[in-house]
Amino acid sequence: MSSHLMNKFKQFDAYAKTLEDFKVKTATGATNLVLDAMDSSGEQHLQMDHNIHKRRLDLDGNPIEEPKKEEIAISSTVKQNTSELATVTCGSCYGAAFKDSQCCNTCEDVKEAYRIRRWALPDLATIVQCKDDESLEKANLALKEGCQIYGYMEVNRVGGSFHIAPGKSFTINHVHVHDVQPYSSSAFNTTHIIQHLSFGSDIKSANTAPLDGVKGIAKEGAVMFQYYIKIVPTMYVKLDKTVLHTNQFSVTRHQKSVSNINSESGMPGAFFSYELSPLMVKYTEKERSIGHFATNICAIIGGVFTVAGILDTLLYHSLNAFHNKIVLGKAG
C-alpha cells in the first residue's frame, strides 16, 4: 500500500512531464548517439546528420579519430561464404516471426522482427546472424567511449524540440521511439558539456548563448537532462543600416534518473524543448551628434564647478568657525 501511494506521489512534479513519444523503450540495433528534431507542426527530422558531425572521444574528452559526417544507411551487405549460402535457406527469427514461413537471414531481419513485436532484444552475442555484425561492437564501445556532436540544423519558426540520445531512432504509428534497451542501465553515463548553443548569430551585447559552458553531471548513471528554452526573436540594426535577425533565449534546467532501478519514466540523453515568444527585442546602433557631445562636455564642466563651489564653501565656513574659536579663546 505504501509503495502505491509513493508512486502516486511521484506523479506530482513542478516540471512538465516528458512526452509519451520518449517513454517507449524498444530493442533494435543502435550506435552511440543520434540527434533528432521535431516541431509542433508535426515535422520530424530523424537521425539528423546532413549538417551534423560526430567524433569519437575517450572518457577524458580527447579525440580518438577525425570527425565523421555519417550518412543514413539504405542497405546492408551480409558476408556469407558459399557453404553458408548452400546450407542456410531460412534463418530463425527467435520466436518473433508472425508466420512459420518468415525468415530472418540477417541481424537486421532479427532486429526488425523484434521491433515489430515490440519485444526486448536478447543479447546480440547469442544470435547467430549478429555474430559478425558491426552494431554489436558499436554497442560495446558506447559504454567505454564519449562522443562529440557539432554542427547546425534548420528548424521551422514554431515551438518544437530536439534531443541527443543513445540508440537508433525510428517512428512506429507516428510515435517517435528510440532503442535504448542496451543503454537504460546505470552503466551508461549521460554527463555532457554544452560548448555552444545558439539560435542564430551571436551578439555580444545580447543574451544569445546562455548555455555556453554549462555542464550536466550524471552522478547516478542513466540520467535524463531536460532544458526548457524560451526564445525571444531579436533584431539588431548596425550603424551601416545592416539588419541582423537572431534570437535570445532563457532556459530552465531539470534532470532526473531513469535507470531501471527506479520507477521514473523517460530515457537517458539531453532533451531541448523550445518555444518562441510573441515579443521581439530590437537593438539599434546610433552615432552621437556633435551637439550631444558638446552638451555632455558642458554638463561635465558644470558639474565640476558645482562640486568645486560646494567644497570651497564648506572649507571656508570650517576655517572661519575654527578661527572664531581661537579668537574667543584668547579673549577669555
Side-chain angles (χ1 to χ4, degrees):
M1 184 65 179
S2 59
S3 61
H4 178 71
L5 292 175
M6 184 61 68
N7 291 334
K8 288 292 184 181
F9 181 75
K10 286 184 177 181
Q11 293 178 2
F12 295 95
D13 198 341
Y15 298 91
K17 294 298 182 182
T18 308
L19 296 176
E20 189 66 28
D21 302 359
F22 304 133
K23 297 181 180 179
V24 181
K25 293 184 179 181
T26 61
T28 59
T31 58
N32 218 331
L33 296 175
V34 296
L35 172 64
D36 299 334
M38 59 200 68
D39 58 43
S40 58
S41 66
E43 185 174 341
Q44 295 188 6
H45 308 273
L46 304 183
Q47 301 185 60
M48 295 191 62
D49 55 10
H50 299 289
N51 301 307
I52 303 298
H53 291 75
K54 303 177 186 178
R55 174 160 54 186
R56 294 170 57 199
L57 306 175
D58 60 23
L59 295 181
D60 294 325
N62 301 314
I64 297 178
E65 61 183 12
E66 293 298 318
K68 292 183 178 180
K69 185 177 180 181
E70 297 185 0
E71 299 296 335
I72 298 176
I74 300 177
S75 61
S76 59
T77 303
V78 181
K79 297 180 180 179
Q80 291 179 314
N81 55 38
T82 55
S83 61
E84 289 177 331
L85 292 174
T87 56
V88 179
T89 57
C90 184
S92 172
C93 293
Y94 297 86
F98 279 96
K99 52 186 178 180
D100 296 337
S101 60
Q102 182 177 349
C103 299
C104 296
N105 294 329
T106 67
C107 187
E108 289 299 324
D109 291 342
V110 177
K111 295 176 184 177
E112 181 66 15
Y114 271 80
R115 183 186 68 82
I116 295 175
R117 288 278 193 178
R118 304 190 76 173
W119 291 354
L121 194 69
D123 187 358
L124 295 181
T126 63
I127 300 176
V128 176
Q129 293 92 325
C130 299
K131 187 175 182 181
D132 299 324
D133 191 78
E134 293 182 356
S135 62
L136 179 61
E137 180 181 357
K138 290 182 178 180
N140 293 331
L141 290 177
L143 300 176
K144 303 176 183 178
E145 295 180 357
C147 182
Q148 180 186 21
I149 295 180
Y150 66 90
Y152 67 94
M153 60 182 178
E154 296 183 358
V155 297
N156 297 328
R157 294 187 66 85
V158 294
S161 66
F162 61 93
H163 54 268
I164 301 173
K168 184 179 179 181
S169 59
F170 46 88
T171 302
I172 300 179
N173 298 328
H174 304 288
V175 177
H176 181 73
V177 295
H178 271 255
D179 171 22
V180 296
Q181 190 268 341
Y183 311 107
S184 57
S185 68
S186 59
F188 189 81
N189 193 299
T190 51
T191 295
H192 61 277
I193 301 175
I194 302 176
Q195 299 290 353
H196 178 72
L197 176 64
S198 62
F199 295 83
S201 303
D202 292 334
I203 300 177
K204 293 182 178 179
S205 58
N207 196 23
T208 56
L211 279 176
D212 286 11
V214 169
K215 295 182 179 180
I217 308 297
K219 299 180 179 180
E220 304 175 66
V223 174
M224 182 177 188
F225 293 88
Q226 296 169 292
Y227 298 88
Y228 300 98
I229 298 172
K230 185 72 171 184
I231 300 176
V232 180
T234 302
M235 183 169 63
Y236 193 89
V237 183
K238 298 182 179 179
L239 287 176
D240 58 359
K241 304 303 180 182
T242 302
V243 179
L244 175 64
H245 292 277
T246 184
N247 300 279
Q248 303 179 81
F249 67 92
S250 59
V251 60
T252 302
R253 301 164 57 189
H254 177 55
Q255 69 183 69
K256 63 179 179 180
S257 175
V258 292
S259 60
N260 290 332
I261 59 175
N262 58 45
S263 58
E264 290 284 354
S265 60
M267 60 176 292
F271 294 79
F272 301 82
S273 299
Y274 58 89
E275 60 179 5
L276 274 72
S277 170
L279 304 178
M280 184 185 73
V281 175
K282 182 179 179 180
Y283 293 97
T284 304
E285 289 184 349
K286 293 183 178 180
E287 290 183 338
R288 294 182 177 179
S289 63
I290 297 178
H292 185 274
F293 175 74
T295 302
N296 287 342
I297 294 296
C298 292
I300 293 173
I301 294 175
V304 171
F305 273 99
T306 301
V307 173
I310 294 173
L311 293 177
D312 179 68
T313 302
L314 291 175
L315 183 61
Y316 171 77
H317 286 290
S318 298
L319 292 175
N320 190 36
F322 182 72
H323 180 265
N324 291 335
K325 287 183 178 181
I326 293 176
V327 172
L328 290 176
K330 288 182 178 180

